[in-house]
């Protein structure tokens, strides 16, 4: 079974600085998708960024970018120019085939003003 | 973007009673919806996949008689927690698939169930 591991339960960063959240996963598949979701205090999950495994180019969405290392099964999220509104729980997730998302344990990100 | 709404957002019930949680896609039709359970400070665990017009597919370890899922229309799926017990207290979240691309999922606001 696929597993997703986030080894950082909590992270903090100064406003305007850059922070990287780690994620590793385990799968025997070659074609799959990886995601980072954000869960703010309102609790509603919001998609931050998506990466297709067959694409070598790292996905980027404005201040959010990923470092996808397929061989190492690593998928980290970099947040540049951190803003107070970035404070949330961040979940790494894996999806293959039937669109069942497998989530990591989550990383709570705190932004220090 | 697409909107998924859950109701109620919070519910408190007595042990032994049943509670129904609704998940609606407000501006699109969702043939597939997913139900997750989230324990405090924990990740989301998929409970079941709900397909319109057919029986839900439950994940291993999830009691289908305990957690009844009905997806009677393209815009509504319901989760009924039957004979609720305190250990069923949790945050329940639904998501709906919008298009055909993996990850095109929109999540509801979640429903916090507290069983006394």
């Amino acid at each position: 079974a696929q597993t997703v591991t986030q080894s950082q339960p909590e992270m903090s960063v100064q406003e305007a600085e850059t922070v990287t959240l780690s994620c590793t996963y385990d799968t025997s598949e070659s074609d799959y998708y990886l995601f980072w979701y954000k869960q703010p205090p309102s609790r509603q999950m919001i998609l931050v960024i998506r990466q297709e495994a067959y694409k070598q180019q790292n996905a980027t969405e404005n201040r959010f970018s990923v470092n996808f290392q397929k061989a190492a099964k690593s998928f980290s999220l970099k947040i540049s120019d951190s803003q107070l509104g970035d404070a949330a729980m961040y979940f790494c997730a894996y999806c293959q085939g039937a669109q069942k998302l497998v989530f990591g344990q989550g990383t709570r990100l705190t932004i220090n003003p | 973007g697409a909107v998924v709404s859950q109701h109620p957002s919070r519910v408190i019930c007595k042990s032994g009673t049943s509670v129904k949680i609704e998940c609606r896609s407000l501006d699109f039709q969702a043939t597939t919806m997913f139900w997750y359970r989230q324990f405090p400070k924990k990740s989301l665990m998929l409970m079941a996949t709900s397909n319109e017009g057919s029986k839900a597919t439950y994940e291993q370890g999830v009691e289908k008689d305990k957690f009844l899922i009905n997806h009677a229309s393209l815009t509504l799926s319901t989760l009924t927690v039957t004979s609720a017990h305190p250990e069923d207290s949790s945050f329940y979240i639904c998501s709906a698939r919008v298009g055909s691309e993996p990850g095109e999922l929109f999540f509801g606001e979640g429903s916090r169930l507290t069983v006394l």
Side-chain angles (χ1 to χ4, degrees):
Chain A
Q2 293 84 4
T3 58
V4 178
T5 302
Q6 293 177 248
S7 58
Q8 305 155 315
E10 297 182 352
M11 291 282 285
S12 63
V13 64
Q14 288 295 123
E15 191 177 4
E17 296 293 310
T18 296
V19 64
T20 299
L21 308 184
S22 302
C23 172
T24 58
Y25 59 95
D26 186 26
T27 183
S28 58
E29 303 293 334
S30 60
D31 189 16
Y32 50 87
Y33 293 79
L34 296 164
F35 309 88
W36 278 97
Y37 280 90
K38 170 184 178 181
Q39 188 180 39
S42 67
R43 305 304 295 273
Q44 190 162 17
M45 300 283 282
I46 302 167
L47 178 63
V48 175
I49 200 165
R50 179 179 77 178
Q51 174 80 42
E52 291 94 332
Y54 62 86
K55 289 188 177 179
Q56 293 185 342
Q57 186 173 8
N58 289 325
T60 300
E61 288 287 341
N62 300 313
R63 298 183 294 107
F64 299 87
S65 62
V66 298
N67 183 4
F68 174 48
Q69 301 290 327
K70 191 172 184 178
K73 296 180 182 175
S74 170
F75 183 62
S76 61
L77 174 70
K78 185 172 80 171
I79 305 174
S80 304
D81 185 25
S82 299
Q83 300 175 0
L84 295 177
D86 294 334
M89 281 289 289
Y90 285 83
F91 291 96
C92 178
Y94 167 101
C95 171
Q96 190 268 330
Q99 292 202 27
K100 295 195 299 185
L101 286 173
V102 177
F103 288 91
Q105 304 91 325
T107 298
R108 181 172 300 281
L109 178 64
T110 302
I111 311 296
N112 300 314
Chain B
V3 178
V4 175
S5 178
Q6 275 184 248
H7 178 80
S9 58
R10 291 176 183 268
V11 57
I12 301 173
C13 69
K14 293 183 178 180
S15 185
T17 61
S18 294
V19 174
K20 180 184 286 188
I21 301 170
E22 295 185 346
C23 178
R24 292 182 184 274
S25 56
L26 298 185
D27 51 0
F28 66 100
Q29 293 181 330
T31 55
T32 302
M33 291 184 175
F34 302 90
W35 285 95
Y36 295 85
R37 182 173 179 175
Q38 186 178 27
F39 291 99
K41 299 184 179 181
K42 297 292 185 182
S43 186
L44 282 74
M45 302 299 295
L46 179 65
M47 299 175 65
T49 302
S50 169
N51 294 298
E52 187 267 337
S54 64
K55 290 183 177 181
T57 302
Y58 290 81
E59 294 299 303
Q60 192 173 11
V62 178
E63 300 176 60
K64 60 180 67 176
D65 295 330
K66 174 73 166 177
F67 299 100
L68 300 179
I69 292 173
N70 184 280
H71 194 157
S73 77
L74 288 171
T75 60
L76 174 64
S77 177
T78 60
L79 167 67
T80 302
V81 183
T82 62
S83 186
H85 291 281
E87 57 265 31
D88 298 325
S89 298
S90 192
F91 195 66
Y92 294 89
I93 303 175
C94 74
S95 70
R97 188 167 73 188
V98 176
S100 59
E101 285 294 315
E104 282 192 290
L105 299 174
F106 286 88
F107 286 79
E109 313 95 321
S111 300
R112 179 168 300 287
L113 170 64
T114 302
V115 184
L116 303 177

